[in-house]
Amino acid sequence: MDVVGYAPLYEVMQDTPLAPWADVLPGQIQQAFGNRPHGDLPKWREVVKALVPPFPAGECILDAPCVGVPPVGAGDGQRAHIEQALRRLHPWRKGPYCLQGVHIDTEWRSDWKWNRLQAHIEPLTGRRVLDVGCGNGYHCWRMAGEGARLVIGVDPGQLYVMQYWAVRQFMPGPPVYVVPLTGEQVPGLAAFDTVFSMGVLYHRRRPLEHLRVLHTHLRPGGELVLETLVIEGGQGDLLKPAGRYARMRNVWSIPSPPTLVAWIEAAGFCDVQLRDVTVTTPREQRRTDWMRFHSLPEFLDPDDPTRTVEGYPAPIRAICTAKKSLSVS
Ligand SMILES: C[S@@+](CC[C@H](N)C(=O)[O-])C[C@H]1O[C@@H](n2cnc3c(N)ncnc32)[C@H](O)[C@@H]1O
């Protein structure tokens, strides 16, 4: 059997409002992996295959900062084999993960973002959740840890999807799936109770269009959780970086919090609430042994860490929640 097997997902989508998507999803995945495969995809598949553990799946830890499984079952030799395989999926950006005693110290302390939003969102128990731009799915596991009945993450990054599959080898049970698609490829079926979009909005050339697409994924009364870069400022203020921002390509627009709230309202959401605004520090985003490229410390002006190397305001991130009105279908 292929190590990347979505059949259980198609099955759980049947008899739900997601059934029409289940009809086209196999073709979409085939197209993503089959027609436009990343050059390293065969290597990544081998890594995932090599990780099929020779011990039964045990307890999953989904409600703690380090997501994973405890170090039971694997001896020292197996642990070394696991670590060697996981390292071949470098760079690991989102995490951390603890898998059979192997601690993947990722570039981001993604658990900090989770801590900032957790108290502000509708409880996820029993909810059907979509995470647009989920990376390798770290937050998807945390959503399952909060009791979500189904979590589907979408991300076009094939390495991130294969990192998800590597983690999945250790945790085959939870209802968490990451598929190699963009948010725009998900049909708007108004089928999700909660939709997350975190770290994606500034990568979209047309941010309002992204928000409108998210609106189509939510059922009436459902909740949007949106996280993005912001600048300090008032209504209407917006930074449109010329060229790179903190060395990132494709950062198109960074609104002030009031501008962001206005955008979310303009996309049709109600009850928009700004929940958190936090400066990103080099403790949250940094180079590690599992992500050996440059990271935030190298993206900030060494003489003035309140500016990026390009002279823009240093990264600040905001979290908003919003609702889809009950009277909208
Ligand atoms: C900064 S990361 C954020 C990952 C994660 N959501 C988090 O908050 O830590 C942005 C992710 O969005 C993905 N992405 C970019 N454009 C996208 C799109 N149109 N639809 C879905 N994901 C997208 C990228 O591949 C990347 O993994």
Side-chain angles (χ1 to χ4, degrees), residues 94 113 131-135 139 154-157 160 181-184 198-200 202-204:
K94 311 296 176 177
K113 185 182 292 189
D131 185 5
V132 174
C134 65
H139 294 120
V154 297
D155 200 293
Y160 304 143
L181 301 179
T182 65
E184 296 72 37
M198 303 195 287
V200 180
Y202 50 86
H203 286 312
R204 304 305 300 152

Side-chain angles (χ1 to χ4, degrees), residues 93 107-108 229 245-248 279-287 291 293-302 305 307-309 314-317:
R93 295 194 181 276
E107 177 188 19
W108 282 87
L229 287 170
Y245 171 85
R247 295 262 163 85
M248 279 186 286
V279 174
T280 308
T281 69
R283 288 181 60 226
E284 183 170 358
Q285 184 193 8
R286 75 284 187 243
R287 186 204 302 239
M291 205 303 290
F293 303 142
H294 286 177
S295 187
L296 185 61
E298 291 79 33
F299 304 155
L300 297 178
D301 181 340
R307 316 300 289 179
T308 68
V309 284
I316 304 174
R317 309 182 82 94

Side-chain angles (χ1 to χ4, degrees), residues 209-231:
E209 209 170 284
H210 178 69
L211 294 167
R212 288 196 187 104
V213 168
L214 300 175
H215 194 264
T216 68
H217 298 321
L218 271 179
R219 63 141 165 97
E223 184 172 64
L224 170 72
V225 182
L226 189 109
E227 192 259 8
T228 193
L229 287 170
V230 290
I231 51 162

Side-chain angles (χ1 to χ4, degrees), residues 57-78:
E59 180 202 357
C60 302
I61 298 165
L62 305 179
D63 58 356
C66 206
V67 160
V69 294
V72 287
D76 286 349
Q78 279 171 327

